[in-house]
Amino acid sequence: MRNIDGGFLAAPDQASLQRREQDVRKGKLALMLAVVGGFVALIAGYNVFVDFSPVSLVVTMLGLAAAVGGGVLTKHLTRNVRFRVHKPNAGLVGAAKLTGLLVAFFGIAALLGAIEAPGALRVVLIAGGVGTIAYVKSLHDQQWVLFELDAVGVRIERTVVPWRDVARLTIDPVGPGMTRLGAVPHNAAPLYVAVQDSELDQRHLAAAVGRFAPQGIQLAGGQSFPVN
């Protein structure tokens, strides 16, 4: 096991890492489409905001369409790479963060346009905006994930257990609208996390176990434990 903040207790095997890397490559094209579309939309949107023209508006709309389409496709393909259960309202909070960043970006863009800032400074603003959005999204995903399955193993909050250390997976109802997911290692204490049913798609969970878990590891109801 390892904690994602550092401190490996058992490294995942190389074959699992290679398998995950192969799966990740499948979604890179869609992700690239989303990133390029977002970058184009930011640049064209900046021009629309500072010096409106019909061409800039059309390019902005096309960029947004590519970004949204690429994002939806990436989300679909990601199911072949990993399965995640987030904290409640993770999507809403993520959208609020993105909205705040975009408001700040266009506010600074308007200020630079008003003072007729040099082009190099505008390029820095665009590059910084894209980098900041990518960083905030990555940090958001790390902080708001409660449970994750992929080719390497199982993540329970901030602890990762490689598949070779997993004896079984458990799922138990623990209260109204709540389900507890768990991983029982061979030679360590079980790990559990309670998630809201609104955030858990049990059909996708079962499919992910069948896709990622080694043969012999099943998802089954465990004993009833109180939720801390």
Side-chain angles (χ1 to χ4, degrees), residues 159-176:
T159 302
V160 177
V161 187
W163 283 119
R164 65 185 182 189
D165 293 340
V166 177
R168 68 180 186 275
L169 302 174
T170 64
I171 179 170
D172 302 283
V174 291

Side-chain angles (χ1 to χ4, degrees), residues 15-221:
S16 295
L17 290 174
Q18 291 176 350
R19 176 185 168 191
R20 182 175 66 174
E21 184 62 25
Q22 291 172 355
D23 289 338
V24 167
R25 290 196 192 101
K26 297 177 183 178
K28 281 190 174 181
L29 185 60
L31 180 59
M32 184 179 299
L33 175 64
V35 171
V36 171
F39 188 72
V40 170
L42 277 177
I43 295 176
Y46 173 85
N47 290 328
V48 169
F49 201 84
V50 174
D51 185 16
F52 177 81
S53 71
V55 174
S56 296
L57 180 60
V58 171
V59 173
T60 301
M61 298 303 293
L62 291 175
L64 286 174
V68 172
V72 172
L73 184 57
T74 299
K75 183 177 181 179
H76 174 73
L77 294 174
T78 297
R79 291 177 182 172
N80 295 326
V81 178
R82 62 175 176 257
F83 170 84
R84 283 179 169 178
V85 182
H86 293 84
K87 296 178 183 178
N89 301 317
L92 183 62
V93 173
K97 291 178 180 178
L98 177 60
T99 300
L101 289 173
L102 290 176
V103 169
F105 173 84
F106 285 111
I108 296 174
L111 177 62
L112 293 180
I115 64 176
E116 298 182 352
L121 191 56
R122 300 181 184 185
V123 172
V124 170
L125 171 63
I126 294 171
V130 173
T132 301
I133 289 173
Y135 172 76
V136 170
K137 184 183 185 306
S138 175
L139 187 62
H140 175 81
D141 287 344
Q142 186 181 79
Q143 293 175 337
W144 285 74
V145 172
L146 292 174
F147 181 86
E148 180 177 346
L149 299 177
D150 64 12
V152 170
V154 186
R155 171 181 166 186
I156 305 290
E157 294 187 290
R158 304 188 70 80
T159 302
V160 177
V161 187
W163 283 119
R164 65 185 182 189
D165 293 340
V166 177
R168 68 180 186 275
L169 302 174
T170 64
I171 179 170
D172 302 283
V174 291
M178 298 291 293
T179 296
R180 189 189 61 179
L181 302 175
V184 182
H186 290 290
N187 298 307
L191 300 170
Y192 298 106
V193 64
V195 303
Q196 288 195 0
D197 290 344
S198 60
E199 301 294 325
L200 174 63
D201 188 321
Q202 295 196 23
R203 181 171 58 87
H204 288 161
L205 171 60
V209 172
R211 181 182 304 115
F212 299 124
Q215 187 174 6
I217 296 180
Q218 301 292 328
L219 176 67

Side-chain angles (χ1 to χ4, degrees), residues 172-174 180 221-227:
D172 302 283
V174 291
R180 189 189 61 179
Q223 298 177 359
S224 179
F225 291 86
V227 179

